[in-house]
Amino acid sequence: MSSSIFFKFKSQKEPTRLPFDGTAISVFDAKRDIIAIHKLGDGTDFDLAIYDEETNEEYVDDTVMIPRGTAITARRLPPVKPGRGTAQRYVTGKMPTAALTASRIEKKT
Amino acid sequence: MATKRKADASVDEVIDPSDMLSFICLGGGSEVGRSCHIIQYKGKTVMLDAGVHPAYEGISSLPFYDDFDLSTVDILLVSHFHLDHAGSLPYVLTKTNFRGRVFMTHPTKAIYKWLMSDSVRVSNTTSEQTTQLFSETDHLTSFSQISAIDYYQTLHHSSIAITPYPAGHVLGAAMFLIEIAGLKILFTGDYSREDDRHLVSASLPKHIKPDILITESTYGTASHMPRMEKEARFISLVTSILDRGGRVLMPVFALGRAQELLLILEEYWEAHEKYRQYPIYYASSLARRCMAVYQTYIHAMNDNIKSLFRSKMAAIGEAAGKDGQAVGGTNPFEMRWVRSLKSLDRFDDVGGCVMLAAPGMMQNGVSRELLERWCPDSKNGVILTGYSVEGTLAKSILNEPTEIQAFKKEHTSRRSGREEADRVMIPRRCSIDELSFAAHVDYGQNSSFIEEVGAKVIILVHGETNAMNRLKSALLSKYHDRKDKPRIYNPKNCEELFIPFKGEKIANVVGK
Ligand SMILES: [Zn+2]
Ligand SMILES: [Zn+2]
């Protein structure tokens, strides 16, 4: 089953569709797909933050699932440490097996 | 009401939040590339430049636009046509909520039009659809939103006054003086104070005293070779490669400094018959299209080019008087010893030659193709004449690597992490030399201009972190003993500066 969420960079007018299989996509996979679709490179020279478009709340936990149909915005930021952008985690790494904190999970789901 | 105390003032001053000027680099902060700065003061917002970074593609090459609400910008000023200053303008105009006015000089606008069409076409052939920031249609439909202005002409919009002054550097390049509620801000863009063969060097009328100077720092504390010496060295580099039976490759940005190099070569070929056997090629259809613009704006250039123009006119007049035959065009940029090359398919690669080819950073395209073809032969030579941007092949080749990576049209997915295995390496035996004709100020020129301007606040932009830090330290020690020393900033991207200025420049002093 193919679903999608709607995605745009904060500075953009028009959203694009981000398709995936299933009913929800993890924050980790969403960020990885955004980097891949827009060919943002190896992720070493920027940080990437994504937000719920309505609430403007940041998705900080990579394991949180974003339900299909959700509209999200992304912010490309200069890396806190030059050449060591946190976005590279989504290019080379694996999704963390544990959520950030238990309370965070409750809040987000 | 919240008030902030100015730490370094000897008198107590109450700074109203509305007296704060905010400055932020969305790009070009402690880096060279994707120039874009935002100034906010008294509820007005001015954006300076909308560039792309030559080391990146697509969205990655953009300034950090997500960090600022572009719909609040009143005025966008584009300093010159180079892509690191103008390359994302069509994106800003068509893909974001920007709805301000855009200004650039007439020649900048004329060249920008061709340049962006060309850059869309180049990226069409070298990368996939998804990395395209905008289409040619986007470019052409947004083009009409740009207003052109003349040097020295002051324009008022939304209570902001702007005046462009010549900046040297490339045809049409401007320094902008911006005035908001009595506060004067000067943005140099890329600027040059050296006389060259075609441009007027940068200057500001003496009576204008800006409060803030935003200046480029590309060359940091480096010193340029004197012009005569540099030209002699350039000619000797070129001729020694030809003398050993090699080919000379000069990767250049298609427009701007290339015209200057061609004028130098043309003059030497004119005077030295021996070298006329070696063709000088200029592989740029874009440059050919823009020659008309150069012709049109000869009046905006220096006396050297004007007199060259007049002597060509006179030659035609004489010839016409004799037998009614014209002896060629009047355009000083139409050269006798330079052949323009439409594409490499038409290039007969049979022996020694001088080749100027774009792009300057050799990321792809003709210059990259020729580099790969020529670099295994030690007789050949590459001369880098521009500023080589961090992260590009032009920069890495300066370390004289023993091999370079072949460019492939189909990039393997960078996600796979297996790109190492797919690399095709080419041995590098050709010579590599660097000689800057980039037309940026060096330390001496920059610091004396900073002195002349005499602004109390100096913001350094458009420089790599190290070059910029060195420039800042040099300026700090220069002004160390002065009573009224300027404040000097070198912000990183997205790092917001808040600088207090008294409203309408009327002192608001209490307790005295
Ligand atoms: Zn430039
Ligand atoms: Zn520049």
Side-chain angles (χ1 to χ4, degrees), chain B residues 92-112:
Chain B
V92 168
L93 293 177
T94 58
K95 308 294 177 197
T96 75
N97 291 319
F98 176 90
R99 41 171 199 260
R101 292 281 304 272
V102 185
F103 296 99
M104 55 177 75
T105 64
H106 285 277
T108 299
K109 188 180 174 191
I111 290 169
Y112 164 87

mmCIF file with all atom_site columns, all heavy atoms in Angstrom, chain B residues 92-112:
data_model
loop_
_atom_site.group_PDB
_atom_site.id
_atom_site.type_symbol
_atom_site.label_atom_id
_atom_site.label_alt_id
_atom_site.label_comp_id
_atom_site.label_asym_id
_atom_site.label_entity_id
_atom_site.label_seq_id
_atom_site.pdbx_PDB_ins_code
_atom_site.Cartn_x
_atom_site.Cartn_y
_atom_site.Cartn_z
_atom_site.occupancy
_atom_site.B_iso_or_equiv
_atom_site.pdbx_formal_charge
_atom_site.auth_seq_id
_atom_site.auth_comp_id
_atom_site.auth_asym_id
_atom_site.auth_atom_id
_atom_site.pdbx_PDB_model_num
ATOM 1   N N   . VAL B 1 92  ? 14.434 32.273 -5.816  1.00 0.00 ? 92  VAL B N   1
ATOM 2   C CA  . VAL B 1 92  ? 13.810 33.168 -4.836  1.00 0.00 ? 92  VAL B CA  1
ATOM 3   C C   . VAL B 1 92  ? 12.521 33.771 -5.408  1.00 0.00 ? 92  VAL B C   1
ATOM 4   O O   . VAL B 1 92  ? 11.492 33.834 -4.741  1.00 0.00 ? 92  VAL B O   1
ATOM 5   C CB  . VAL B 1 92  ? 14.787 34.293 -4.416  1.00 0.00 ? 92  VAL B CB  1
ATOM 6   C CG1 . VAL B 1 92  ? 14.080 35.394 -3.640  1.00 0.00 ? 92  VAL B CG1 1
ATOM 7   C CG2 . VAL B 1 92  ? 15.926 33.720 -3.577  1.00 0.00 ? 92  VAL B CG2 1
ATOM 8   N N   . LEU B 1 93  ? 12.567 34.179 -6.674  1.00 0.00 ? 93  LEU B N   1
ATOM 9   C CA  . LEU B 1 93  ? 11.415 34.854 -7.277  1.00 0.00 ? 93  LEU B CA  1
ATOM 10  C C   . LEU B 1 93  ? 10.255 33.914 -7.581  1.00 0.00 ? 93  LEU B C   1
ATOM 11  O O   . LEU B 1 93  ? 9.106  34.334 -7.608  1.00 0.00 ? 93  LEU B O   1
ATOM 12  C CB  . LEU B 1 93  ? 11.851 35.573 -8.564  1.00 0.00 ? 93  LEU B CB  1
ATOM 13  C CG  . LEU B 1 93  ? 12.808 36.764 -8.373  1.00 0.00 ? 93  LEU B CG  1
ATOM 14  C CD1 . LEU B 1 93  ? 13.213 37.343 -9.715  1.00 0.00 ? 93  LEU B CD1 1
ATOM 15  C CD2 . LEU B 1 93  ? 12.180 37.837 -7.489  1.00 0.00 ? 93  LEU B CD2 1
ATOM 16  N N   . THR B 1 94  ? 10.538 32.637 -7.832  1.00 0.00 ? 94  THR B N   1
ATOM 17  C CA  . THR B 1 94  ? 9.441  31.748 -8.242  1.00 0.00 ? 94  THR B CA  1
ATOM 18  C C   . THR B 1 94  ? 9.082  30.668 -7.231  1.00 0.00 ? 94  THR B C   1
ATOM 19  O O   . THR B 1 94  ? 7.969  30.169 -7.249  1.00 0.00 ? 94  THR B O   1
ATOM 20  C CB  . THR B 1 94  ? 9.752  31.048 -9.588  1.00 0.00 ? 94  THR B CB  1
ATOM 21  O OG1 . THR B 1 94  ? 10.970 30.299 -9.451  1.00 0.00 ? 94  THR B OG1 1
ATOM 22  C CG2 . THR B 1 94  ? 9.901  32.057 -10.717 1.00 0.00 ? 94  THR B CG2 1
ATOM 23  N N   . LYS B 1 95  ? 9.996  30.279 -6.352  1.00 0.00 ? 95  LYS B N   1
ATOM 24  C CA  . LYS B 1 95  ? 9.716  29.145 -5.456  1.00 0.00 ? 95  LYS B CA  1
ATOM 25  C C   . LYS B 1 95  ? 9.497  29.535 -4.004  1.00 0.00 ? 95  LYS B C   1
ATOM 26  O O   . LYS B 1 95  ? 9.206  28.690 -3.176  1.00 0.00 ? 95  LYS B O   1
ATOM 27  C CB  . LYS B 1 95  ? 10.865 28.121 -5.509  1.00 0.00 ? 95  LYS B CB  1
ATOM 28  C CG  . LYS B 1 95  ? 11.264 27.655 -6.882  1.00 0.00 ? 95  LYS B CG  1
ATOM 29  C CD  . LYS B 1 95  ? 10.167 26.847 -7.546  1.00 0.00 ? 95  LYS B CD  1
ATOM 30  C CE  . LYS B 1 95  ? 10.606 26.464 -8.950  1.00 0.00 ? 95  LYS B CE  1
ATOM 31  N NZ  . LYS B 1 95  ? 9.469  26.032 -9.772  1.00 0.00 ? 95  LYS B NZ  1
ATOM 32  N N   . THR B 1 96  ? 9.721  30.808 -3.664  1.00 0.00 ? 96  THR B N   1
ATOM 33  C CA  . THR B 1 96  ? 9.562  31.220 -2.274  1.00 0.00 ? 96  THR B CA  1
ATOM 34  C C   . THR B 1 96  ? 8.487  32.308 -2.172  1.00 0.00 ? 96  THR B C   1
ATOM 35  O O   . THR B 1 96  ? 7.937  32.743 -3.186  1.00 0.00 ? 96  THR B O   1
ATOM 36  C CB  . THR B 1 96  ? 10.879 31.793 -1.693  1.00 0.00 ? 96  THR B CB  1
ATOM 37  O OG1 . THR B 1 96  ? 11.080 33.111 -2.211  1.00 0.00 ? 96  THR B OG1 1
ATOM 38  C CG2 . THR B 1 96  ? 12.072 30.930 -2.051  1.00 0.00 ? 96  THR B CG2 1
ATOM 39  N N   . ASN B 1 97  ? 8.226  32.741 -0.939  1.00 0.00 ? 97  ASN B N   1
ATOM 40  C CA  . ASN B 1 97  ? 7.213  33.781 -0.745  1.00 0.00 ? 97  ASN B CA  1
ATOM 41  C C   . ASN B 1 97  ? 7.751  35.198 -0.898  1.00 0.00 ? 97  ASN B C   1
ATOM 42  O O   . ASN B 1 97  ? 7.085  36.159 -0.515  1.00 0.00 ? 97  ASN B O   1
ATOM 43  C CB  . ASN B 1 97  ? 6.590  33.629 0.646   1.00 0.00 ? 97  ASN B CB  1
ATOM 44  C CG  . ASN B 1 97  ? 5.753  32.373 0.722   1.00 0.00 ? 97  ASN B CG  1
ATOM 45  O OD1 . ASN B 1 97  ? 5.029  32.045 -0.210  1.00 0.00 ? 97  ASN B OD1 1
ATOM 46  N ND2 . ASN B 1 97  ? 5.879  31.644 1.825   1.00 0.00 ? 97  ASN B ND2 1
ATOM 47  N N   . PHE B 1 98  ? 8.933  35.318 -1.423  1.00 0.00 ? 98  PHE B N   1
ATOM 48  C CA  . PHE B 1 98  ? 9.522  36.641 -1.638  1.00 0.00 ? 98  PHE B CA  1
ATOM 49  C C   . PHE B 1 98  ? 8.583  37.504 -2.478  1.00 0.00 ? 98  PHE B C   1
ATOM 50  O O   . PHE B 1 98  ? 8.055  37.054 -3.484  1.00 0.00 ? 98  PHE B O   1
ATOM 51  C CB  . PHE B 1 98  ? 10.866 36.486 -2.370  1.00 0.00 ? 98  PHE B CB  1
ATOM 52  C CG  . PHE B 1 98  ? 11.524 37.794 -2.721  1.00 0.00 ? 98  PHE B CG  1
ATOM 53  C CD1 . PHE B 1 98  ? 12.407 38.402 -1.847  1.00 0.00 ? 98  PHE B CD1 1
ATOM 54  C CD2 . PHE B 1 98  ? 11.258 38.424 -3.930  1.00 0.00 ? 98  PHE B CD2 1
ATOM 55  C CE1 . PHE B 1 98  ? 13.012 39.606 -2.161  1.00 0.00 ? 98  PHE B CE1 1
ATOM 56  C CE2 . PHE B 1 98  ? 11.855 39.634 -4.259  1.00 0.00 ? 98  PHE B CE2 1
ATOM 57  C CZ  . PHE B 1 98  ? 12.731 40.227 -3.369  1.00 0.00 ? 98  PHE B CZ  1
ATOM 58  N N   . ARG B 1 99  ? 8.352  38.750 -2.054  1.00 0.00 ? 99  ARG B N   1
ATOM 59  C CA  . ARG B 1 99  ? 7.533  39.631 -2.885  1.00 0.00 ? 99  ARG B CA  1
ATOM 60  C C   . ARG B 1 99  ? 8.041  41.067 -2.878  1.00 0.00 ? 99  ARG B C   1
ATOM 61  O O   . ARG B 1 99  ? 7.305  42.024 -3.089  1.00 0.00 ? 99  ARG B O   1
ATOM 62  C CB  . ARG B 1 99  ? 6.056  39.551 -2.479  1.00 0.00 ? 99  ARG B CB  1
ATOM 63  C CG  . ARG B 1 99  ? 5.784  39.499 -0.988  1.00 0.00 ? 99  ARG B CG  1
ATOM 64  C CD  . ARG B 1 99  ? 4.302  39.652 -0.714  1.00 0.00 ? 99  ARG B CD  1
ATOM 65  N NE  . ARG B 1 99  ? 4.130  40.047 0.662   1.00 0.00 ? 99  ARG B NE  1
ATOM 66  C CZ  . ARG B 1 99  ? 3.788  39.201 1.646   1.00 0.00 ? 99  ARG B CZ  1
ATOM 67  N NH1 . ARG B 1 99  ? 3.568  37.943 1.387   1.00 0.00 ? 99  ARG B NH1 1
ATOM 68  N NH2 . ARG B 1 99  ? 3.652  39.637 2.874   1.00 0.00 ? 99  ARG B NH2 1
ATOM 69  N N   . GLY B 1 100 ? 9.332  41.217 -2.630  1.00 0.00 ? 100 GLY B N   1
ATOM 70  C CA  . GLY B 1 100 ? 9.942  42.549 -2.619  1.00 0.00 ? 100 GLY B CA  1
ATOM 71  C C   . GLY B 1 100 ? 10.339 43.000 -4.019  1.00 0.00 ? 100 GLY B C   1
ATOM 72  O O   . GLY B 1 100 ? 10.012 42.361 -5.012  1.00 0.00 ? 100 GLY B O   1
ATOM 73  N N   . ARG B 1 101 ? 11.026 44.145 -4.071  1.00 0.00 ? 101 ARG B N   1
ATOM 74  C CA  . ARG B 1 101 ? 11.554 44.642 -5.348  1.00 0.00 ? 101 ARG B CA  1
ATOM 75  C C   . ARG B 1 101 ? 12.991 44.174 -5.504  1.00 0.00 ? 101 ARG B C   1
ATOM 76  O O   . ARG B 1 101 ? 13.710 44.016 -4.523  1.00 0.00 ? 101 ARG B O   1
ATOM 77  C CB  . ARG B 1 101 ? 11.528 46.179 -5.353  1.00 0.00 ? 101 ARG B CB  1
ATOM 78  C CG  . ARG B 1 101 ? 10.139 46.795 -5.369  1.00 0.00 ? 101 ARG B CG  1
ATOM 79  C CD  . ARG B 1 101 ? 9.497  46.781 -6.752  1.00 0.00 ? 101 ARG B CD  1
ATOM 80  N NE  . ARG B 1 101 ? 10.296 47.435 -7.778  1.00 0.00 ? 101 ARG B NE  1
ATOM 81  C CZ  . ARG B 1 101 ? 10.247 48.740 -8.064  1.00 0.00 ? 101 ARG B CZ  1
ATOM 82  N NH1 . ARG B 1 101 ? 9.463  49.537 -7.385  1.00 0.00 ? 101 ARG B NH1 1
ATOM 83  N NH2 . ARG B 1 101 ? 10.995 49.240 -9.040  1.00 0.00 ? 101 ARG B NH2 1
ATOM 84  N N   . VAL B 1 102 ? 13.409 43.968 -6.758  1.00 0.00 ? 102 VAL B N   1
ATOM 85  C CA  . VAL B 1 102 ? 14.779 43.531 -7.026  1.00 0.00 ? 102 VAL B CA  1
ATOM 86  C C   . VAL B 1 102 ? 15.485 44.571 -7.890  1.00 0.00 ? 102 VAL B C   1
ATOM 87  O O   . VAL B 1 102 ? 14.923 45.021 -8.895  1.00 0.00 ? 102 VAL B O   1
ATOM 88  C CB  . VAL B 1 102 ? 14.805 42.183 -7.777  1.00 0.00 ? 102 VAL B CB  1
ATOM 89  C CG1 . VAL B 1 102 ? 16.238 41.686 -7.949  1.00 0.00 ? 102 VAL B CG1 1
ATOM 90  C CG2 . VAL B 1 102 ? 13.966 41.147 -7.053  1.00 0.00 ? 102 VAL B CG2 1
ATOM 91  N N   . PHE B 1 103 ? 16.699 44.949 -7.492  1.00 0.00 ? 103 PHE B N   1
ATOM 92  C CA  . PHE B 1 103 ? 17.459 45.926 -8.279  1.00 0.00 ? 103 PHE B CA  1
ATOM 93  C C   . PHE B 1 103 ? 18.844 45.398 -8.622  1.00 0.00 ? 103 PHE B C   1
ATOM 94  O O   . PHE B 1 103 ? 19.496 44.741 -7.811  1.00 0.00 ? 103 PHE B O   1
ATOM 95  C CB  . PHE B 1 103 ? 17.622 47.240 -7.507  1.00 0.00 ? 103 PHE B CB  1
ATOM 96  C CG  . PHE B 1 103 ? 16.319 47.937 -7.235  1.00 0.00 ? 103 PHE B CG  1
ATOM 97  C CD1 . PHE B 1 103 ? 15.693 47.812 -6.004  1.00 0.00 ? 103 PHE B CD1 1
ATOM 98  C CD2 . PHE B 1 103 ? 15.713 48.710 -8.223  1.00 0.00 ? 103 PHE B CD2 1
ATOM 99  C CE1 . PHE B 1 103 ? 14.484 48.446 -5.754  1.00 0.00 ? 103 PHE B CE1 1
ATOM 100 C CE2 . PHE B 1 103 ? 14.500 49.353 -7.976  1.00 0.00 ? 103 PHE B CE2 1
ATOM 101 C CZ  . PHE B 1 103 ? 13.887 49.217 -6.739  1.00 0.00 ? 103 PHE B CZ  1
ATOM 102 N N   . MET B 1 104 ? 19.295 45.716 -9.826  1.00 0.00 ? 104 MET B N   1
ATOM 103 C CA  . MET B 1 104 ? 20.680 45.464 -10.243 1.00 0.00 ? 104 MET B CA  1
ATOM 104 C C   . MET B 1 104 ? 21.003 46.475 -11.331 1.00 0.00 ? 104 MET B C   1
ATOM 105 O O   . MET B 1 104 ? 20.097 47.132 -11.850 1.00 0.00 ? 104 MET B O   1
ATOM 106 C CB  . MET B 1 104 ? 20.852 44.015 -10.715 1.00 0.00 ? 104 MET B CB  1
ATOM 107 C CG  . MET B 1 104 ? 19.922 43.573 -11.817 1.00 0.00 ? 104 MET B CG  1
ATOM 108 S SD  . MET B 1 104 ? 20.228 41.871 -12.404 1.00 0.00 ? 104 MET B SD  1
ATOM 109 C CE  . MET B 1 104 ? 19.549 40.868 -11.115 1.00 0.00 ? 104 MET B CE  1
ATOM 110 N N   . THR B 1 105 ? 22.277 46.619 -11.684 1.00 0.00 ? 105 THR B N   1
ATOM 111 C CA  . THR B 1 105 ? 22.613 47.607 -12.712 1.00 0.00 ? 105 THR B CA  1
ATOM 112 C C   . THR B 1 105 ? 22.186 47.087 -14.092 1.00 0.00 ? 105 THR B C   1
ATOM 113 O O   . THR B 1 105 ? 21.965 45.897 -14.279 1.00 0.00 ? 105 THR B O   1
ATOM 114 C CB  . THR B 1 105 ? 24.123 47.917 -12.736 1.00 0.00 ? 105 THR B CB  1
ATOM 115 O OG1 . THR B 1 105 ? 24.820 46.729 -13.115 1.00 0.00 ? 105 THR B OG1 1
ATOM 116 C CG2 . THR B 1 105 ? 24.623 48.407 -11.386 1.00 0.00 ? 105 THR B CG2 1
ATOM 117 N N   . HIS B 1 106 ? 22.126 47.984 -15.059 1.00 0.00 ? 106 HIS B N   1
ATOM 118 C CA  . HIS B 1 106 ? 21.729 47.602 -16.423 1.00 0.00 ? 106 HIS B CA  1
ATOM 119 C C   . HIS B 1 106 ? 22.607 46.499 -17.020 1.00 0.00 ? 106 HIS B C   1
ATOM 120 O O   . HIS B 1 106 ? 22.079 45.496 -17.501 1.00 0.00 ? 106 HIS B O   1
ATOM 121 C CB  . HIS B 1 106 ? 21.710 48.831 -17.337 1.00 0.00 ? 106 HIS B CB  1
ATOM 122 C CG  . HIS B 1 106 ? 20.535 49.729 -17.097 1.00 0.00 ? 106 HIS B CG  1
ATOM 123 N ND1 . HIS B 1 106 ? 19.292 49.494 -17.653 1.00 0.00 ? 106 HIS B ND1 1
ATOM 124 C CD2 . HIS B 1 106 ? 20.407 50.834 -16.329 1.00 0.00 ? 106 HIS B CD2 1
ATOM 125 C CE1 . HIS B 1 106 ? 18.448 50.432 -17.246 1.00 0.00 ? 106 HIS B CE1 1
ATOM 126 N NE2 . HIS B 1 106 ? 19.095 51.259 -16.440 1.00 0.00 ? 106 HIS B NE2 1
ATOM 127 N N   . PRO B 1 107 ? 23.949 46.662 -17.016 1.00 0.00 ? 107 PRO B N   1
ATOM 128 C CA  . PRO B 1 107 ? 24.759 45.571 -17.592 1.00 0.00 ? 107 PRO B CA  1
ATOM 129 C C   . PRO B 1 107 ? 24.613 44.249 -16.838 1.00 0.00 ? 107 PRO B C   1
ATOM 130 O O   . PRO B 1 107 ? 24.602 43.184 -17.456 1.00 0.00 ? 107 PRO B O   1
ATOM 131 C CB  . PRO B 1 107 ? 26.205 46.085 -17.504 1.00 0.00 ? 107 PRO B CB  1
ATOM 132 C CG  . PRO B 1 107 ? 26.165 47.431 -16.914 1.00 0.00 ? 107 PRO B CG  1
ATOM 133 C CD  . PRO B 1 107 ? 24.768 47.824 -16.657 1.00 0.00 ? 107 PRO B CD  1
ATOM 134 N N   . THR B 1 108 ? 24.488 44.318 -15.514 1.00 0.00 ? 108 THR B N   1
ATOM 135 C CA  . THR B 1 108 ? 24.306 43.084 -14.749 1.00 0.00 ? 108 THR B CA  1
ATOM 136 C C   . THR B 1 108 ? 23.039 42.380 -15.204 1.00 0.00 ? 108 THR B C   1
ATOM 137 O O   . THR B 1 108 ? 23.021 41.171 -15.449 1.00 0.00 ? 108 THR B O   1
ATOM 138 C CB  . THR B 1 108 ? 24.217 43.384 -13.234 1.00 0.00 ? 108 THR B CB  1
ATOM 139 O OG1 . THR B 1 108 ? 25.431 44.002 -12.823 1.00 0.00 ? 108 THR B OG1 1
ATOM 140 C CG2 . THR B 1 108 ? 24.001 42.108 -12.427 1.00 0.00 ? 108 THR B CG2 1
ATOM 141 N N   . LYS B 1 109 ? 21.969 43.168 -15.379 1.00 0.00 ? 109 LYS B N   1
ATOM 142 C CA  . LYS B 1 109 ? 20.687 42.582 -15.775 1.00 0.00 ? 109 LYS B CA  1
ATOM 143 C C   . LYS B 1 109 ? 20.786 41.950 -17.164 1.00 0.00 ? 109 LYS B C   1
ATOM 144 O O   . LYS B 1 109 ? 20.288 40.849 -17.394 1.00 0.00 ? 109 LYS B O   1
ATOM 145 C CB  . LYS B 1 109 ? 19.591 43.653 -15.745 1.00 0.00 ? 109 LYS B CB  1
ATOM 146 C CG  . LYS B 1 109 ? 18.208 43.068 -15.963 1.00 0.00 ? 109 LYS B CG  1
ATOM 147 C CD  . LYS B 1 109 ? 17.098 44.116 -15.931 1.00 0.00 ? 109 LYS B CD  1
ATOM 148 C CE  . LYS B 1 109 ? 15.788 43.441 -16.318 1.00 0.00 ? 109 LYS B CE  1
ATOM 149 N NZ  . LYS B 1 109 ? 14.713 44.384 -16.577 1.00 0.00 ? 109 LYS B NZ  1
ATOM 150 N N   . ALA B 1 110 ? 21.460 42.659 -18.080 1.00 0.00 ? 110 ALA B N   1
ATOM 151 C CA  . ALA B 1 110 ? 21.573 42.156 -19.453 1.00 0.00 ? 110 ALA B CA  1
ATOM 152 C C   . ALA B 1 110 ? 22.354 40.838 -19.498 1.00 0.00 ? 110 ALA B C   1
ATOM 153 O O   . ALA B 1 110 ? 21.971 39.898 -20.207 1.00 0.00 ? 110 ALA B O   1
ATOM 154 C CB  . ALA B 1 110 ? 22.256 43.205 -20.327 1.00 0.00 ? 110 ALA B CB  1
ATOM 155 N N   . ILE B 1 111 ? 23.433 40.752 -18.721 1.00 0.00 ? 111 ILE B N   1
ATOM 156 C CA  . ILE B 1 111 ? 24.231 39.520 -18.742 1.00 0.00 ? 111 ILE B CA  1
ATOM 157 C C   . ILE B 1 111 ? 23.550 38.413 -17.940 1.00 0.00 ? 111 ILE B C   1
ATOM 158 O O   . ILE B 1 111 ? 23.541 37.252 -18.347 1.00 0.00 ? 111 ILE B O   1
ATOM 159 C CB  . ILE B 1 111 ? 25.667 39.796 -18.234 1.00 0.00 ? 111 ILE B CB  1
ATOM 160 C CG1 . ILE B 1 111 ? 26.392 40.640 -19.285 1.00 0.00 ? 111 ILE B CG1 1
ATOM 161 C CG2 . ILE B 1 111 ? 26.424 38.499 -17.989 1.00 0.00 ? 111 ILE B CG2 1
ATOM 162 C CD1 . ILE B 1 111 ? 27.701 41.207 -18.856 1.00 0.00 ? 111 ILE B CD1 1
ATOM 163 N N   . TYR B 1 112 ? 22.960 38.787 -16.819 1.00 0.00 ? 112 TYR B N   1
ATOM 164 C CA  . TYR B 1 112 ? 22.229 37.826 -15.978 1.00 0.00 ? 112 TYR B CA  1
ATOM 165 C C   . TYR B 1 112 ? 21.203 37.053 -16.807 1.00 0.00 ? 112 TYR B C   1
ATOM 166 O O   . TYR B 1 112 ? 21.048 35.841 -16.653 1.00 0.00 ? 112 TYR B O   1
ATOM 167 C CB  . TYR B 1 112 ? 21.549 38.584 -14.838 1.00 0.00 ? 112 TYR B CB  1
ATOM 168 C CG  . TYR B 1 112 ? 20.473 37.827 -14.099 1.00 0.00 ? 112 TYR B CG  1
ATOM 169 C CD1 . TYR B 1 112 ? 20.792 37.007 -13.021 1.00 0.00 ? 112 TYR B CD1 1
ATOM 170 C CD2 . TYR B 1 112 ? 19.122 37.951 -14.461 1.00 0.00 ? 112 TYR B CD2 1
ATOM 171 C CE1 . TYR B 1 112 ? 19.800 36.321 -12.328 1.00 0.00 ? 112 TYR B CE1 1
ATOM 172 C CE2 . TYR B 1 112 ? 18.132 37.268 -13.780 1.00 0.00 ? 112 TYR B CE2 1
ATOM 173 C CZ  . TYR B 1 112 ? 18.466 36.451 -12.712 1.00 0.00 ? 112 TYR B CZ  1
ATOM 174 O OH  . TYR B 1 112 ? 17.491 35.779 -12.048 1.00 0.00 ? 112 TYR B OH  1
#
